């Protein structure tokens, strides 16, 4: 009998949250997908796991037993890994990290370089994925460490099954085409400008909507993009103004766009999220812990570099 551990996690969430719908919401899956995975798990074990005779879905006795094992299996595997690490006194193995482009380029690449020196037997695996799909992969165990962004105006993700720590606060900047005869110098000027906007679900999209709401105008969104490189290219060619985070400006050639002195646009928070370990020792996974430590050190080095280049209070200019 072979049981897919991802389906075990789904069964555990159904048991924990008292139904398919709540489990689907927690896992960012559709109810149909959860039901299909449960049906496949029933075929794998050869027993009914879900009692469908009642209006509300509940587990059969066999389902409750298997859900209990699902939690214990995760606990025991994590504890075994921890004990083996102590026994060998070596840190080794893959760590799957989900992140987005600016963090991969400016934080993860330096972190991986340092990890290779300190812990050559650790194998980081980078997945460029973000948003709800990345969170789903973290919950299902396909990703170990998630680096995600969120507008600072929203509350930080807080759930018992996840551990969230702030990694970096990335200030937003307004960028303007260099060829405009009269570049916008105030928020009032921005009200008349065409915008290269992000999706409303993205952090910079939320920042634009917040800025417009605070100052009482409806932004004229002539272009809608998902990547900062696309936004910067459109701005550089004169198609509108945009909000981008400071990290997106680090490699922009001097003079390609103008960076406005308008501040107080807000910022995005960059968080590191991991699953909460349910082990007897209560300690974090040692391999993940050193990876996160390297990421935090790379972030601190980046912040120090930015302070040195830009000055503690000086606005970004020319980049």
């Amino acid at each position: 009998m072979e049981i897919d551990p991802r389906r075990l996690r789904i069964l555990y969430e159904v048991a924990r949250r008292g139904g398919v719908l709540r489990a689907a919401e927690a896992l960012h899956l559709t109810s149909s997908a959860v039901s299909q995975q449960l049906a496949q798990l029933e075929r794998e074990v050869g027993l009914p796991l879900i009692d469908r005779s009642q209006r509300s879905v509940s587990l059969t006795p066999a389902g409750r037993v298997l859900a209990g094992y699902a939690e214990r299996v995760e606990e025991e595997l994590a504890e075994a890994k921890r004990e083996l690490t102590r026994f060998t006194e070596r840190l080794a193995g893959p760590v799957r990290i989900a992140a987005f482009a600016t963090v991969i380029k400016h934080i993860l690449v330096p972190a991986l370089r340092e990890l290779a020196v300190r812990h050559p037997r650790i194998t980081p695996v980078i997945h460029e994925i973000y948003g709800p799909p990345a969170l789903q992969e973290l919950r299902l165990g396909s990703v170990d460490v998630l680096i995600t962004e969120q507008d600072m105006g929203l509350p930080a993700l807080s759930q018992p099954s996840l551990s969230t720590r702030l990694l970096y606060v990335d200030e937003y900047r307004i960028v303007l085409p260099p060829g405009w005869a009269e570049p916008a110098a105030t928020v009032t000027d921005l009200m008349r400008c065409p915008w290269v906007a992000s999706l409303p679900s993205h952090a910079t999209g939320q920042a634009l909507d917040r800025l417009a709401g605070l100052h009482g105008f409806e932004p004229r969104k002539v272009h809608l993009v998902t990547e900062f490189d696309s936004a910067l290219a459109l701005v550089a060619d004169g198609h509108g103004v945009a909000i981008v985070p400071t990290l997106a400006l680090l490699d922009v050639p001097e003079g390609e766009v103008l960076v406005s002195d308008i501040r107080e646009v807000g910022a995005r928070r960059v968080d590191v999220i991991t699953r909460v370990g349910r082990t007897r020792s209560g300690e974090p996974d040692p391999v993940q812990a050193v990876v996160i430590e390297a990421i935090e050190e790379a972030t601190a080095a980046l912040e120090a570099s930015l302070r040195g280049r830009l000055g503690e209070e000086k606005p970004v200019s020319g980049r």
Side-chain angles (χ1 to χ4, degrees):
M1 177 191 304
E2 290 191 11
I3 300 176
D4 189 327
R6 290 163 63 102
R7 297 190 182 105
L8 276 181
R9 182 179 291 274
I10 290 174
L11 179 67
Y12 169 68
E13 289 294 341
V14 171
R16 179 186 175 195
R17 300 180 184 277
V20 170
L21 181 59
R22 291 179 179 176
E25 291 174 350
L27 296 169
H28 294 278
L29 297 171
T30 64
S31 297
S32 175
V34 169
S35 297
Q36 291 173 11
Q37 293 296 314
L38 292 175
Q40 181 60 36
L41 183 60
E42 289 179 321
R43 287 192 288 272
E44 289 174 352
V45 301
L47 290 168
L49 303 174
I50 304 297
D51 183 356
R52 299 176 177 86
S53 64
Q54 306 296 324
R55 184 172 181 179
S56 60
V57 173
S58 61
L59 300 188
T60 65
R64 290 194 294 273
V65 168
L66 192 58
Y69 275 105
E71 181 177 14
R72 291 200 291 275
V73 164
E74 182 178 353
E75 292 174 355
E76 293 300 324
L77 285 176
E79 192 70 19
K81 182 178 180 181
R82 187 167 289 104
E83 292 301 323
L84 286 174
T85 299
R86 295 192 187 99
F87 179 78
T88 60
E89 296 184 350
R90 299 292 297 273
L91 294 170
V95 176
R96 297 155 297 185
I97 308 168
F100 49 94
T102 50
V103 160
I104 291 173
K105 185 172 187 177
H106 297 293
I107 295 177
L108 284 187
V109 168
L112 299 191
R113 194 180 301 129
E114 188 62 30
L115 269 174
V117 174
R118 297 183 188 176
H119 305 287
R121 297 185 64 188
I122 292 179
T123 309
V125 179
I126 306 300
H127 293 205
E128 188 174 352
I129 182 174
Y130 50 88
L135 192 58
Q136 173 185 322
E137 292 301 308
L138 176 68
R139 292 182 182 282
L140 294 178
S142 299
V143 164
D144 302 307
V145 177
L146 169 61
I147 303 179
T148 187
E149 66 163 6
Q150 182 173 287
D151 185 75
M152 286 292 289
L154 299 175
L157 179 67
S158 177
Q159 296 183 9
S161 61
L162 300 176
S163 172
T164 301
R165 67 173 79 184
L166 177 63
L167 180 65
Y168 183 63
V169 176
D170 194 7
E171 183 185 6
Y172 297 137
R173 302 306 307 271
I174 294 174
V175 290
L176 314 163
W180 281 5
E182 297 183 6
T186 67
V187 174
T188 301
D189 295 335
L190 292 174
M191 296 179 185
R192 299 187 292 269
C193 292
W195 283 88
V196 180
S198 298
L199 297 172
S201 59
H202 288 194
T204 49
Q206 293 159 359
L208 175 56
D209 290 342
R210 184 180 61 250
L211 179 71
L214 285 173
H215 294 275
F217 71 96
E218 184 67 31
R220 182 158 56 93
K221 301 177 182 179
V222 296
H223 300 287
L224 202 61
V225 299
T226 58
E227 300 296 334
F228 297 131
D229 284 348
S230 303
L232 289 165
L234 287 166
V235 171
D237 204 47
H239 296 284
V241 301
I243 295 175
V244 298
T246 300
L247 286 186
L249 294 169
L250 293 183
D251 297 317
V252 176
E254 185 173 354
E256 186 167 290
V257 298
L258 298 179
V259 181
S260 171
D261 288 334
I262 299 172
R263 309 300 286 263
E264 307 303 326
V265 187
R268 64 176 178 173
R269 59 178 295 139
V270 179
D271 291 320
V272 177
I273 305 177
T274 55
R275 295 184 302 278
V276 173
R278 295 184 293 273
T279 61
R280 288 189 296 272
S281 65
E283 297 176 4
D285 179 286
V287 177
Q288 292 180 24
V290 298
V291 169
I292 292 172
E293 180 182 5
I295 291 171
E296 291 176 334
E297 289 180 0
T299 303
L302 174 65
E303 291 183 283
S305 174
L306 287 174
R307 285 196 298 270
R309 288 165 52 187
L310 308 177
E312 197 75 48
E313 300 297 332
K314 291 169 60 179
V316 180
S317 60
R319 290 187 66 89

